[in-house]
Amino acid sequence: MQQRTKLLVGSLASSLGIIALFAGISFTSALDLARHRIPSLLHEHNQRLIETLPKQPSLEQIQAMLPHHGTRSDSLSIIDTQGRLLGITDKHPGTPSPLVYIDSEYLLAASSGYTTIDDNEYIWVTTPIPDSPYTIVNTHHNARVGLREFMKHIGVPIGFAALISIWLSTWGAMVISSLFRRLNEQRAQLEHQAHHDPLTGLPNRDALSNTIDTTIAHLDSSKQTLAVCMIDLHQFKEINDSLGHHCGDELLRQVAIRLSKALQTPDQAGRFYGNKFAIMLTNAGTATIDAIAGTLLGTLENAFEIDGRYLYIRGTLGIALYPEHAVTAPALLQKAEAAIFQARDNTQYAAIFRTLDNKGAAERLGLINDLRNALRDGQLELHYQPKLDLRSRHIIGAEALARWTHPQHGAIPPDQFIEIAERTGLIKELTRWVLETAVQQCAQCHASGKAMKISANLSAINLHDDELVPLIASLLKQHKLPAQNLVVEITETAMMADPARAKEQLRKLDVLGVSISIDDFGTGYSSLGHLRQLPVDEIKIDKSFVMDMIASEDDASIVRATIGLAHDLGLEVVAEGVEDEAILKQLSDMGCDIAQGYYIARPMPAADFIAMLEKTDDLAEDKPAAVSR
Ligand code: C2E
Ligand code: CA
Ligand code: CA
C-alpha cells in the first residue's frame, strides 16, 4: 500500500474511532443526566402546584387540585404523615399505582426514589405541603433512553461532527503525505546530486568508478573483459573562450545526451571532469578498437546546434582493458586517460593503452599526414579485379580496390593504409571517395552498354556513418546507376562488432536496392544462421580456404559445405583467391556461382578493365579466364 493511502486509511479509522467514542460517552452521560434531572423537574413541578393552593389548605382543596397536575407527571398522589394514600390522579387509569409498592416509611423519609414494577421503572418525588400534614407524591414513568431515542436527538450533530472530522482527517492526511513526498523528493534529489554531474546529469567520477568496481566484482575475469574508455573533446577551451561558457556548457550537455543514447544503459557513461567523459563497456571482448571508436566517437560526428550555430567537434578516445591493463576502476580510468595522450602523440583518434611505445609509431605518424594529403591531392586510385560468373563464363562485375602510390615510398599496400585510415577516422573520407569513384566509373561502363556489378569495401567504422546511406543514394541518382549494380562488401568481423548497428545500416542499404556481400567469410565467428537475420545477398569465401583447397581436403570440405549452406539460404557464393585452373574447375564442380582471383585477373586500373571487357566480348564465351593474367 502506498504511504499516502496508508495515512488516509489510518486517519479515517482513527477519526471514526474518536466519533464512536464520543457518541458512546455522550450516550451514557445522557442516560445519567436523565436519571438525575427528572427528579428535580418533578420537584419543581410539585412546588408550582403547591403555590396554586391557599395557605393552610384543607384536604379537599388539595384533592381538588390533583386533576390539574398537567403533563409533567404520570400520577399525582397525596399522603398524610402516616403515609396513607388520601387521593390519586392517574394519567393512565387502571394501571397499578407504583405507590402501592413503596414502603410508606421510606416514602416519607426520602425526597425521591425509584421503584421498578413489571420491568417499568418509576421515579417518585415527595414534596410536603407547607403548613399542612399532607405531602404530594409525583410519580413518573421513567421511559428508558434507548439508542434510537438518543440518535433522534443527537444523531444530526454527531453526523455533522463525523463529517467534519472525516474531512479534517482526510485533509490532514493529504497535507502530511505531501509533506512526506516532498521530503522524499528532496532526499532523492540530494542523493542524485551526490552521484551526478550537475551540468550534464551523467554519473560523476565517483559514481562511475563505483559502477566499474561493482561490475568488475561480478565479472568472470577468465571469460569476460571490460573496456574503460575516455573521450577528450577537442577545441573545448576555444569554444569556451570564443563563444562563452554557456556554449561550452550546452555542448557538454548535448554530448552527454548523445553518449547516453548510444549506450545500452545510461549509467555506463559519466563525466570524468572538464571536457572528459568516461564510458564503461562490458561486452568489449570481441569488439575492435574501430568498433568502439565508431560507437563512441561516432556520437560527435554530426554537428551540434548551439545558439543557432552549427559546431563540429572531434574527440580523442583512450581505452584501457580489464584485466589486461588494470583491475580496479581508478587504475583503469587513469590508463584510459593515459591512452588519450598516447593517441594524440601518434595523431590518432583512438588508442588502446600501451605500456611500451610502439616502434612503428613515428613512421606511421608520417604516413598519417601523408594519407590525409593523398586523399586531398588525388594520389589514390581505384583498381578493379574482375569477377567471373562460373555458369555463363562471363565477367559480370569487379571489386574496387584502393591503391596508393606514395610520392617517396611508392606503392603502399592497402592492408597498411586502410588500417591507418581506420585508426584515424580518415576511413570515412576514403570510403566516400571510393564509392564516388566506383559508382561514377561503373555508370560509364553501364552507359557504354556493359552491365557491370561493382563491389566496394566498407569498414566497420563506416557502419557508424549516418551520412553513408544518403551518400550512396545520391550517388546512384546522380550517375543514374541502378542500385542493383552496386555491391557493398563488409567483413563478418566488422558486422559482428556491432550487430545491431550493422543490421540497421544494412536494412537501409537493402531498402535502397544495393546488394550486400559478406567478405572474408569463414575467418570470423559468425555462422550462416546469424547472417540469416541480415539482408545479405552474397558471401565471399575467404581466399585462405580457396587458395589451399586443392592441397587441403579440410579446406575443400569447408568450401563445399559453405557453398551448400549458402545456396540453401538463397545466397550467391563468390570464391576469392582463385590462383589456378584446378581451383577454378573444382569450384565450378562444387556449384560455386562466381570466382575472383589472380588466375582470372589481378586488380587493374579502370582503363585496363574496360579494355579487358571489350576483349572478352570479342572472344565470346570460351576462354575468359585466360585474359590479362
Ligand atoms: P579484400 O577485400 O579481401 O580484397 C581482396 C584482396 O585479395 C585484394 O588485396 C586482392 O588483390 C587480393 N587477391 C585477389 N585475388 C587474389 C588471389 O588470387 N590470390 C591472392 N593471394 N590474393 C588475391 P588488396 O588489393 O591488397 O587489398 C587488401 C585488402 O585491403 C582488401 O582485402 C580490403 O580488405 C582492403 N581494401 C582494399 N581496398 C579497400 C577499400 O577501398 N576500402 C576498404 N575499406 N578496404 C579496402
Ligand atoms: Ca573485399
Ligand atoms: Ca576478401
Side-chain angles (χ1 to χ4, degrees):
M1 222 196 292
Q2 266 191 344
Q3 193 168 19
R4 173 180 274 230
T5 327
K6 272 189 206 163
L7 255 168
L8 206 61
V9 170
S11 61
L12 274 177
S14 51
S15 76
L16 286 175
I18 289 167
I19 290 162
L21 189 73
F22 167 69
I25 290 170
S26 43
F27 182 55
T28 44
S29 30
L31 279 180
D32 205 39
L33 244 155
R35 285 179 85 88
H36 293 100
R37 181 94 179 103
I38 291 170
S40 75
L41 281 173
L42 293 178
H43 190 68
E44 276 171 28
H45 183 62
N46 289 354
Q47 286 293 353
R48 274 199 298 278
L49 285 174
I50 290 167
E51 279 164 19
T52 62
L53 293 171
K55 280 201 171 167
Q56 296 175 352
S58 64
L59 182 62
E60 289 73 28
Q61 282 172 318
I62 297 169
Q63 282 168 333
M65 178 266 297
L66 287 183
H68 307 291
H69 63 80
T71 53
R72 276 284 177 187
S73 49
D74 288 332
S75 81
L76 199 64
S77 326
I78 179 158
I79 54 171
D80 62 11
T81 46
Q82 271 82 47
R84 280 177 307 208
L85 187 63
L86 302 175
I88 182 159
T89 302
D90 210 325
K91 228 192 228 173
H92 310 289
T95 47
S97 169
L99 289 186
V100 179
Y101 299 87
I102 307 166
D103 180 56
S104 51
E105 269 182 39
Y106 175 52
L107 197 65
L108 287 168
S111 64
S112 67
Y114 291 88
T115 301
T116 306
I117 306 156
D118 295 339
D119 255 1
N120 287 315
E121 191 183 56
Y122 294 90
I123 303 172
W124 47 263
V125 172
T126 55
T127 314
I129 298 169
D131 308 325
S132 82
Y134 308 111
T135 297
I136 299 178
V137 185
N138 200 337
T139 316
H140 181 77
H141 180 235
N142 193 14
R144 282 180 200 279
V145 181
L147 191 61
R148 192 184 294 173
E149 187 88 359
F150 171 75
M151 285 313 283
K152 213 161 76 189
H153 290 97
I154 201 159
V156 175
I158 283 217
F160 267 119
L163 273 179
I164 289 169
S165 73
I166 285 170
W167 180 79
L168 270 174
S169 60
T170 313
W171 179 77
M174 294 299 201
V175 169
I176 291 171
S177 86
S178 80
L179 267 174
F180 269 127
R181 204 183 53 228
R182 222 172 287 169
L183 272 174
N184 282 341
E185 277 170 7
Q186 268 173 7
R187 204 172 45 206
Q189 209 176 339
L190 281 175
E191 209 154 294
H192 188 271
Q193 275 168 6
H195 297 113
H196 290 80
D197 168 44
L199 181 67
T200 60
L202 287 182
N204 57 22
R205 183 209 288 236
D206 288 347
L208 188 73
S209 198
N210 283 341
T211 312
I212 295 171
D213 275 335
T214 318
T215 313
I216 286 175
H218 292 97
L219 277 185
D220 176 354
S221 60
S222 63
K223 294 194 198 109
Q224 293 164 296
T225 58
L226 181 137
V228 172
C229 313
M230 201 170 298
I231 296 180
D232 176 73
L233 302 180
H234 297 184
Q235 299 118 19
F236 185 69
K237 191 177 174 302
E238 287 81 346
I239 291 172
N240 265 338
D241 290 348
S242 57
L243 302 176
H245 282 270
H246 72 284
C247 280
D249 288 353
E250 181 54 27
L251 176 68
L252 292 175
R253 267 193 288 269
Q254 291 192 23
V255 170
I257 293 169
R258 289 195 193 177
L259 274 176
S260 304
K261 278 190 187 154
L263 299 167
Q264 278 165 351
T265 46
D267 66 346
Q268 278 176 262
R271 178 150 173 235
F272 195 57
Y273 64 79
N275 55 340
K276 283 198 176 71
F277 290 88
I279 302 104
M280 174 190 79
L281 296 176
T282 38
N283 52 354
T286 52
T288 59
I289 181 172
D290 300 324
I292 297 175
T295 309
L296 300 178
L297 293 182
T299 58
L300 308 177
E301 177 76 356
N302 296 327
F304 290 85
E305 194 192 337
I306 293 164
D307 272 1
R309 285 191 187 84
Y310 288 92
L311 300 181
Y312 286 90
I313 57 153
R314 288 186 174 271
T316 305
L317 178 72
I319 305 170
L321 299 173
Y322 165 88
E324 214 172 313
H325 301 129
V327 291
T328 62
L332 282 164
L333 285 164
Q334 186 233 323
K335 301 258 153 79
E337 198 178 12
I340 291 179
F341 295 105
Q342 292 175 341
R344 285 232 199 98
D345 289 347
N346 296 321
T347 4
Q348 293 170 338
Y349 280 106
I352 294 188
F353 177 75
R354 285 185 308 269
T355 340
L356 292 170
D357 248 7
N358 193 335
K359 274 187 199 158
E363 189 191 320
R364 266 225 296 265
L365 181 59
L367 281 188
I368 293 163
N369 286 329
D370 292 351
L371 181 61
R372 207 169 268 137
N373 297 336
L375 268 165
R376 203 188 46 216
D377 302 344
Q379 289 168 18
L380 293 181
E381 198 189 351
L382 269 193
H383 279 195
Y384 296 90
Q385 187 176 32
K387 282 174 155 182
L388 179 75
D389 184 309
L390 287 174
R391 256 174 315 236
S392 70
R393 297 277 160 162
H394 269 126
I395 302 296
I396 45 106
E399 176 177 5
L401 293 156
R403 296 290 178 260
W404 179 20
T405 314
H406 190 280
Q408 282 91 43
H409 305 300
I412 312 272
D415 285 329
Q416 268 187 35
F417 69 81
I418 294 292
E419 194 244 3
I420 295 172
E422 285 174 342
R423 279 184 178 275
T424 53
L426 278 172
I427 191 69
K428 286 188 181 166
E429 220 174 305
L430 190 143
T431 306
R432 285 174 203 185
W433 169 80
V434 169
L435 285 164
E436 227 168 84
T437 317
V439 167
Q440 186 199 343
Q441 288 176 342
C442 182
Q444 274 172 15
C445 268
H446 212 257
S448 64
K450 292 176 198 73
M452 274 295 118
K453 272 195 166 192
I454 210 81
S455 305
N457 292 284
L458 295 187
S459 286
I461 213 162
N462 294 131
L463 294 174
H464 292 273
D465 183 358
D466 283 335
E467 286 158 28
L468 184 82
V469 180
L471 173 85
I472 291 176
S474 87
L475 283 175
L476 292 172
K477 198 171 162 204
Q478 183 192 343
H479 296 286
K480 298 191 182 62
L481 184 71
Q484 64 267 24
N485 287 59
L486 180 66
V487 182
V488 290
E489 293 187 6
I490 305 155
T491 64
E492 50 171 337
T493 327
M495 204 96 91
M496 291 306 148
D498 186 352
R501 182 75 199 193
K503 202 168 171 178
E504 186 193 327
Q505 291 287 69
L506 296 190
R507 284 260 151 78
K508 289 188 201 158
L509 286 169
D510 187 48
V511 168
L512 216 60
V514 170
S515 300
I516 292 145
S517 175
I518 307 297
D519 206 356
D520 299 351
F521 188 81
T523 56
Y525 300 101
S526 64
S527 65
L528 278 170
H530 249 113
L531 301 177
R532 249 165 88 174
Q533 297 154 17
L534 301 167
V536 172
D537 304 280
E538 171 189 289
I539 61 159
K540 282 185 95 168
I541 306 176
D542 189 63
K543 54 181 173 286
S544 59
F545 302 104
V546 178
M547 285 187 317
D548 294 337
M549 63 188 276
I550 300 294
S552 157
E553 186 44 45
D554 284 352
D555 286 349
S557 306
I558 292 170
V559 174
R560 189 181 298 110
T562 310
I563 294 171
L565 283 168
H567 281 169
D568 286 347
L569 292 171
L571 304 175
E572 281 220 300
V573 185
V574 181
E576 61 179 6
V578 180
E579 292 195 334
D580 56 44
E581 198 177 352
I583 299 174
L584 188 74
K585 183 168 181 318
Q586 198 170 359
L587 286 169
S588 233
D589 294 344
M590 286 175 177
C592 182
D593 305 296
I594 296 158
Q596 180 184 343
Y598 292 169
Y599 179 66
I600 299 155
R602 284 183 181 261
M604 60 189 88
D608 293 359
F609 177 59
I610 292 168
M612 181 193 141
L613 284 180
E614 277 159 5
K615 220 155 135 198
T616 49
D617 278 352
D618 297 344
L619 284 171
E621 285 168 25
D622 46 79
K623 282 183 105 188
V627 194
S628 311
R629 280 197 350 253

